[in-house]
Amino acid sequence: MLRQPLEEGRVSISRASRSVVFPARFMLVAAMNPCPCGYLGDEVRQCRCTADQIQRYQSRISGPLRDRIDLVIRVPPVPVTTDTLAQPGESSVRVRERVLQARERQAARQDAVGVRVNAGLTGRAVWRHCAPDGRGRRLLDEAVRRLGLSARALDRVLKVARTIADLEGVEEVRGPHVAEALQYRTDL
Ligand SMILES: [Zn+2]
């Protein structure tokens, strides 16, 4: 049921006599375990699940829904040491600044097509604004061959790569941006 609102930013509800369309533009953030016991890929604890159990568990997220999730990131447990507690990392205020700048770049570049964020680009506008350099193109061709990326997935990779370049303050989408974007599509 999430598929339509994710794709179109609206949801239509049909009942016997009529149907109504509501706006539904949102950001989906979801978390799941890699397997039923939760320790698949853990460096310390052993996963006790069978290959069959793992496959069944992961297939509960359908392919088409998965295709519409742009960033899939494995989050390993954070080791609790005095070091990690003493160094909290980059502050949210600084990250926010970077994000705002990236959004401004997008809005300025795409003003003519009336799409203020990369995620909203569709059809030919994707290639017009997100076309990568030669190295990026070769990486994409390779990914299509090896991972069997669909046209929709390819569009999404391009928009993520464009956004990574924007966060870096770079106008051209280059190989490393495409490589990073592809990394977020790999399976658990
Ligand atoms: Zn397990």
Side-chain angles (χ1 to χ4, degrees), residues 19-187:
S19 90
V20 192
V21 177
F22 293 105
R25 200 167 289 288
F26 61 98
M27 180 186 285
L28 173 70
V29 181
M32 72 183 282
N33 279 328
C35 65
C37 85
Y39 292 124
L40 180 67
D42 193 290
E43 284 180 3
V44 183
R45 273 168 287 201
Q46 186 88 34
C47 166
R48 297 181 313 270
C49 312
T50 64
D52 195 45
Q53 280 176 319
I54 294 168
Q55 208 261 332
R56 217 175 23 240
Y57 185 77
Q58 293 191 357
S59 68
R60 279 155 64 183
I61 308 282
S62 75
L65 178 61
R66 219 163 161 143
D67 230 21
R68 289 166 171 83
I69 297 177
D70 288 332
L71 315 175
V72 177
I73 300 166
R74 181 185 278 267
V75 187
V78 179
V80 182
T81 64
T82 49
D83 251 12
T84 53
L85 293 174
Q87 295 177 358
E90 194 175 17
S91 78
S92 298
V93 175
R94 280 186 55 193
V95 175
R96 180 172 188 272
E97 242 162 59
R98 224 173 38 234
V99 170
L100 285 176
Q101 278 171 10
R103 288 180 76 97
E104 272 166 28
R105 290 181 77 90
Q106 296 170 38
R109 182 176 52 238
Q110 287 139 210
D111 197 32
V113 278
V115 178
R116 297 186 63 81
V117 290
N118 296 339
L121 292 170
T122 53
R124 295 169 68 142
V126 176
W127 278 94
R128 190 158 59 244
H129 294 291
C130 311
D133 66 357
R135 214 179 131 206
R137 268 169 193 263
R138 281 193 294 280
L139 277 169
L140 282 178
D141 284 337
E142 176 110 4
V144 169
R145 231 182 13 250
R146 282 201 187 174
L147 309 172
L149 283 191
S150 64
R152 183 177 51 230
L154 199 64
D155 267 11
R156 289 180 168 270
V157 169
L158 277 174
K159 289 190 265 187
V160 171
R162 169 75 274 172
T163 304
I164 294 167
D166 285 335
L167 283 166
E168 233 173 63
V170 177
E171 198 42 47
E172 191 186 30
V173 180
R174 298 181 187 144
H177 304 134
V178 172
E180 187 179 340
L182 281 169
Q183 211 181 294
Y184 297 133
R185 285 210 84 80
T186 50
D187 279 348

